[in-house]
Amino acid sequence: MKNNQNILPVFNKIIDFKTASDKNIFFLVPEEAAVIKASFLFQGKYLYQTTSFKDNSSFTEILPVPDENNGLKSNSILIDFHQQRSIESIRIVLKKEEAIDPDKLVCIIRIWGGNQWILPQPKNVLFFKGKGSPLQYSINEGFSLLKTDKIFCSFVKIINPDETDANKDVNIGDSPADDLMELLNFDTLKGIEEQQSLDVASLEIQTKDAIASLTIGEPGKPPLFIKQGELRSEDNKPEEILDFQTNIAKALLNTKSFPVDQLDIPEEFKSYLNPDVSYHPIALSIKTASSGTLFINSIDIGHIFIKEIFSSEPGQTANQISEVNFNYDPMTTRVDEKTIYVQVQEGSTIKKLSFEIKGSINKNRLVPLAKLDPQPDIYPDNISISALANQSLFSSFTVVEGFFAINSIGIRIKPVSDTLSLKALILYDLNGRPDYKGKELASSLKKYESLDGEKYQWLKFELDNQLIPENNTTYWLKIEVKEGEMAWQAEKTSAADQLFVFRQKKEILMPCGPHLDSSLTLIARFFYTPENYREHLSVKIDTQTNYIPLESVDSIDTTLKLDLDTGCQENYFKINLCSESEGKLELSNLKLYYEDSNNPVYIFLNNEDISNNTLTIPDELSRIPLHAISGIGKKYANRLNEAGINNIRDLVLLENHNLPELSSSSGITKNRLIDMVSKALTINLVYSGNLPQLVLSSGRKFHELLEMPTSYLSDLLKISQESAKDFRNSAIILDAATDRSMEIKKR
């Protein structure tokens, strides 16, 4: 895929405006997609251009017109940029056979001031110097700040008013004169001009321009971004289009979608699009009143697809589930999880889930069996201990860990009579037996009628007062049969040769068990009311548990919104609803938002000459390991290796890769991949010659160089202060991009 055709996001793009112009960016958004986020970050950078005789065109006009050999003979040269430019240096080379007296012949430059020619301050007289054998005369002069849209170079001999030759020390630079007549009005120490025609072999004018009066927006609509004056980011802090997401979302709603063959884009680009998908073309116009470079830090549009059809089985296409009932499972002694399935494309990334919940669930929660002793081993249906009227059964329990204010008890029984009257009590332990003559810690009396005697069922007792058992202290649950007959279901435990169950007949306690070499315990469950309901209701997605905030469980009316970033490895997505107690809920407005890696958003930079189309990637980057980048450890390096990415060079080449697809296959989030590639591109900029080679023999550590004043750094590296400032800013970024321990930072 060509570099001006990209799958979003894109970052570290350089768009050069060689002249004031209007350029377009097109976003191709798949039909039925919704925009959830969008960002556009950019900076202004200087554009360095060289104007020479061969560049004579309608954009930069040179008079007289150079000949076919790109030379000319004249006493003056006019360069018209047709827009304001910043002159950094001028180089004029005469033909070798041109012999001059460099002490007397000079070049005077004038710039256009809007309605007249003026002499720029403080430098306007340029002197020729000879070099080589045979001698070749040239001018090579730099300027600190010279802004103009036209520049006029005159080749003259400076003479005194008395027509004697003036020496090279003459200075007419402080004279605001713009023609010969004005010069003649100055005192006798000032020089006047006598034009000389010269054979010029070459002309080079180096300009350094920053974007000015930048506007970005949809064509024909109010701009999204306006910057008066020059766009320069001296502190490397990018500009950002505010409310970019809102405006892109509006544009998406107001733009028709078209099949691929009807899109107004080059045919070569259409071959990369999905022919079965229609796209919304959204255009952004970038206008600037000058030359310059727009450095795009990043453009990203986070789009999603929305599913609203759910089912209780994978593969079904039923409408939304409206009711969910939570009941205790007698086998697991837990409330059933309810699973919802959503059909999505395999390989998609789930980004968001939302639904409304109404209903109620019980306040009480089950004390986890793992917190109790004895622990049940298996769950047989054919083991029970019976009790007649005026008999009692005892089962011991110990809370080994946790704080629970027990307020109700459930037992699992099979009634033998139609009517049962039972009393539940909690007693202390006395030397391994229930202290049935001692204090009653809590109790409850209930009468049951019309019971089904064919199966086991749960009976629940609300205690008259709460019991807060001490950890690792044995207590006894007593069920006294006042009327009728029952069989209390038992479980085997892994604790052999211990007594956990007794039957009482009159004043006699009789042990029950072991059974087949296993001790028995009677099935009982203990309930408590938590201090809050934070973990009462939850949604499980993969290994992640998300708790639904509840102020009350009696009357639930809330909306759940989850931000996710998880891959879907099947053609459906599974959502588990979990409750810590029984209840009934109604669900509505369920929406699943997901990214389909097979349908990305594309960006098309129309007819754009992007600087990194000819991106240079030095071979030595292939020798730099992935962990040179800050944030890439062994785990991420291994995942990247499995995807065929083994070094910094490979990361740079990922610039136009489908990052959502790579994220899905590697398990690395898209934002983290963006960060990795961006840091790799930063390192590549350094190795491509944008920073000077550090003098390692200086004895300075890298981070010390970054803390030096610009002037000191300029002297140390023997570069200009402006270059030192650019170096320091870029090096700070490089320092943040790489691991401090890596030698790469010393380059």
Side-chain angles (χ1 to χ4, degrees):
M1 185 175 292
K2 295 188 176 181
N3 279 347
N4 63 333
Q5 301 159 355
N6 296 274
I7 296 171
L8 284 181
V10 298
F11 39 89
N12 290 8
K13 290 289 182 184
I14 297 174
I15 302 179
D16 290 335
F17 289 81
K18 295 183 178 180
T19 184
S21 57
D22 181 357
K23 300 179 184 294
N24 289 325
I25 294 179
F26 289 96
F27 301 99
L28 302 179
V29 184
E31 190 177 32
E32 298 181 355
V35 174
I36 56 170
K37 67 175 184 178
S39 62
F40 193 149
L41 280 75
F42 56 92
Q43 295 174 258
K45 300 287 186 181
Y46 287 117
L47 174 64
Y48 295 89
Q49 297 186 83
T50 300
T51 298
S52 62
F53 285 152
K54 65 181 180 180
D55 297 313
N56 190 32
S57 65
S58 58
F59 295 109
T60 301
E61 191 174 2
I62 300 175
L63 295 174
V65 177
D67 58 32
E68 59 184 13
N69 296 319
N70 290 323
L72 59 77
K73 184 170 184 177
S74 177
N75 56 23
S76 62
I77 303 175
L78 170 65
I79 302 96
D80 188 352
F81 297 109
H82 296 289
Q83 66 174 53
Q84 192 170 82
R85 301 280 287 275
S86 298
I87 310 298
E88 191 175 42
S89 66
I90 297 177
R91 185 171 185 264
I92 301 173
V93 179
L94 304 182
K95 292 185 177 180
K96 287 189 176 181
E97 59 269 20
E98 182 77 5
I100 65 169
D101 184 351
D103 290 334
K104 299 176 181 178
L105 194 62
V106 298
C107 174
I108 293 181
I109 60 170
R110 291 179 172 83
I111 59 174
W112 185 244
N115 53 17
Q116 65 177 350
W117 292 100
I118 60 174
L119 291 163
Q121 305 296 331
K123 186 187 300 184
N124 47 50
V125 179
L126 312 181
F127 299 96
F128 287 95
K129 295 181 181 179
K131 186 178 180 181
S133 181
L135 280 176
Q136 186 174 29
Y137 292 99
S138 64
I139 289 172
N140 195 351
E141 199 73 42
F143 298 88
S144 59
L145 183 64
L146 185 58
K147 289 183 177 293
T148 184
D149 56 353
K150 297 178 186 179
I151 186 167
F152 187 73
C153 301
S154 300
F155 305 124
V156 300
K157 180 180 180 182
I158 301 297
I159 61 174
N160 292 322
D162 59 3
E163 298 187 357
T164 59
D165 291 345
N167 59 41
K168 289 177 64 173
D169 296 328
V170 71
N171 178 19
I172 63 170
D174 57 352
S175 305
D178 62 359
D179 58 30
L180 182 60
M181 293 304 296
E182 288 193 29
L183 282 172
L184 291 173
N185 292 328
F186 287 98
D187 60 56
T188 58
L189 295 179
K190 304 298 180 183
I192 59 175
E193 306 173 22
E194 183 178 277
Q195 293 187 349
Q196 303 289 312
S197 184
L198 299 176
D199 272 333
V200 181
S202 65
L203 166 74
E204 289 183 359
I205 298 180
Q206 181 76 37
T207 56
K208 173 186 174 183
D209 301 310
I211 284 177
S213 300
L214 177 71
T215 61
I216 302 176
E218 290 185 78
K221 296 184 179 180
L224 305 180
F225 179 88
I226 299 177
K227 175 70 174 182
Q228 300 294 340
E230 290 188 347
L231 179 71
R232 288 185 294 178
S233 306
E234 301 292 351
D235 57 356
N236 280 309
K237 183 179 180 181
E239 301 276 358
E240 181 174 8
I241 297 180
L242 300 178
D243 298 322
F244 189 58
Q245 173 187 339
T246 302
N247 287 285
I248 289 294
K250 287 181 181 178
L252 189 62
L253 292 174
N254 298 325
T255 305
K256 285 182 61 178
S257 62
F258 297 93
V260 173
D261 59 355
Q262 295 181 23
L263 288 171
D264 186 18
I265 59 175
E267 291 297 323
E268 61 183 18
F269 183 50
K270 294 180 181 180
S271 62
Y272 297 103
L273 304 179
N274 187 340
D276 299 325
V277 176
S278 294
Y279 293 88
H280 298 270
I282 300 174
L284 279 188
S285 173
I286 303 177
K287 296 181 181 180
T288 175
S290 69
S291 303
T293 292
L294 185 69
F295 180 85
I296 297 177
N297 299 73
S298 66
I299 303 178
D300 192 10
I301 294 180
H303 73 295
I304 50 173
F305 299 88
I306 304 174
K307 277 283 187 180
E308 300 183 62
I309 298 178
F310 292 71
S311 63
S312 58
E313 296 291 338
Q316 293 182 353
T317 57
N319 290 326
Q320 290 194 15
I321 297 173
S322 60
E323 185 175 293
V324 176
N325 291 307
F326 293 104
N327 299 299
Y328 278 108
D329 183 344
M331 297 297 294
T332 61
T333 67
R334 292 185 58 84
V335 177
D336 285 338
E337 290 185 357
K338 299 299 180 180
T339 303
I340 292 175
Y341 297 88
V342 190
Q343 284 188 282
V344 295
Q345 179 68 36
E346 182 178 351
S348 299
T349 301
I350 310 301
K351 303 300 294 183
K352 186 178 178 182
L353 171 68
S354 68
F355 53 82
E356 296 176 8
I357 310 170
K358 292 184 179 181
S360 63
I361 53 179
N362 293 338
K363 290 183 178 181
N364 287 350
R365 289 174 58 176
L366 184 68
V367 175
L369 298 184
K371 306 294 185 182
L372 298 173
D373 187 61
Q375 289 286 316
D377 185 24
I378 59 176
Y379 192 101
D381 288 335
N382 58 348
I383 302 178
S384 63
I385 309 263
S386 62
L388 305 175
N390 299 317
Q391 293 184 354
S392 300
L393 295 178
F394 299 84
S395 184
S396 71
F397 69 94
T398 301
V399 177
V400 296
E401 180 184 2
F403 178 87
F404 305 102
I406 296 174
N407 54 32
S408 59
I409 298 168
I411 63 172
R412 188 166 174 78
I413 65 123
K414 180 187 289 186
V416 181
S417 58
D418 293 337
T419 302
L420 271 178
S421 180
L422 306 175
K423 184 176 182 180
L425 305 96
I426 296 180
L427 308 172
Y428 281 121
D429 176 79
L430 182 62
N431 300 322
R433 290 169 175 259
D435 185 9
Y436 65 91
K437 294 182 180 180
K439 180 181 179 182
E440 296 179 1
L441 303 178
S443 64
S444 176
L445 178 64
K446 293 199 71 172
K447 186 173 183 178
Y448 302 90
E449 296 180 345
S450 302
L451 296 174
D452 185 356
E454 297 297 322
K455 61 182 181 180
Y456 287 101
Q457 55 198 276
W458 287 96
L459 298 183
K460 196 169 184 181
F461 298 86
E462 302 291 338
L463 299 177
D464 55 6
N465 59 285
Q466 290 184 340
L467 170 69
I468 303 177
E470 297 181 13
N471 287 177
N472 299 308
T473 299
T474 300
Y475 297 86
W476 290 85
L477 170 60
K478 175 184 178 181
I479 301 297
E480 181 180 331
V481 182
K482 296 289 188 181
E483 179 183 353
E485 182 180 351
M486 69 162 192
W488 189 351
Q489 192 169 13
E491 296 173 302
K492 294 180 182 179
T493 75
S494 58
D497 301 327
Q498 293 190 45
L499 292 174
F500 301 110
V501 179
F502 285 87
R503 179 192 285 117
Q504 182 186 19
K505 186 176 182 180
K506 296 184 179 179
E507 297 297 320
I508 302 174
L509 280 177
M510 295 175 291
C512 301
H515 178 81
L516 299 179
D517 298 326
S518 295
S519 295
L520 295 180
T521 180
L522 298 176
I523 297 178
R525 303 295 178 251
F526 302 89
F527 298 87
Y528 71 101
T529 301
E531 294 182 358
N532 59 66
Y533 307 109
R534 189 183 71 84
E535 299 180 2
H536 223 78
L537 195 60
S538 61
V539 175
K540 289 184 179 178
I541 296 173
D542 292 335
T543 58
Q544 179 182 353
T545 300
N546 303 275
Y547 296 103
I548 301 174
L550 297 176
E551 294 183 2
S552 168
V553 293
D554 297 324
S555 180
I556 299 172
D557 187 356
T558 186
T559 298
L560 175 70
K561 294 181 180 180
L562 293 179
D563 291 322
L564 305 170
D565 194 358
T566 182
C568 182
Q569 305 304 321
E570 306 288 344
N571 60 359
Y572 60 84
F573 188 69
K574 187 168 65 173
I575 304 165
N576 291 324
L577 299 177
C578 312
S579 174
E580 291 295 331
S581 56
E582 295 180 302
K584 180 179 178 180
L585 298 175
E586 291 184 356
L587 309 182
S588 60
N589 294 326
L590 290 98
K591 293 184 180 181
L592 184 73
Y593 303 79
Y594 66 96
E595 289 181 349
D596 183 353
S597 59
N598 295 316
N599 284 306
V601 173
Y602 292 84
I603 181 173
F604 174 52
L605 305 171
N606 193 20
N607 298 324
E608 194 59 54
D609 178 19
I610 304 175
S611 295
N612 62 4
N613 279 354
T614 55
L615 185 64
T616 300
I617 307 177
D619 291 338
E620 56 192 313
L621 287 190
S622 63
R623 299 193 294 271
I624 300 176
L626 292 171
H627 63 270
I629 288 182
S630 176
I632 297 184
K634 184 177 180 180
K635 180 179 72 172
Y636 286 129
N638 289 339
R639 292 184 186 178
L640 291 170
N641 292 160
E642 291 174 359
I645 303 156
N646 301 303
N647 50 58
I648 301 298
R649 190 177 191 278
D650 292 341
L651 269 180
V652 173
L653 292 173
L654 276 180
E655 182 184 9
N656 295 310
H657 198 281
N658 187 343
L659 292 187
E661 182 179 356
L662 178 61
S663 173
S664 177
S665 63
S666 66
I668 303 174
T669 64
K670 185 183 73 174
N671 288 339
R672 191 176 291 276
L673 284 171
I674 292 172
D675 182 64
M676 292 176 181
V677 177
S678 183
K679 289 176 179 178
L681 286 167
T682 301
I683 295 172
N684 182 66
L685 289 175
V686 176
Y687 272 80
S688 298
N690 284 10
L691 294 183
Q693 182 78 23
L694 290 186
V695 184
L696 296 180
S697 59
S698 65
R700 300 284 184 177
K701 293 182 179 179
F702 186 81
H703 67 275
E704 291 178 346
L705 293 172
L706 303 183
E707 297 168 359
M708 291 181 184
T710 301
S711 58
Y712 192 85
L713 193 61
S714 170
D715 294 339
L716 179 67
L717 300 179
K718 303 188 182 332
I719 56 178
S720 68
Q721 288 204 23
E722 188 169 346
S723 296
K725 185 176 182 179
D726 290 341
F727 164 78
R728 189 171 181 274
N729 290 338
S730 298
I732 289 172
I733 297 175
L734 178 62
D735 188 53
T738 58
D739 190 309
R740 182 173 286 277
S741 65
M742 297 301 296
E743 292 296 320
I744 183 176
K745 293 191 301 183
K746 295 183 179 179
R747 177 174 168 83

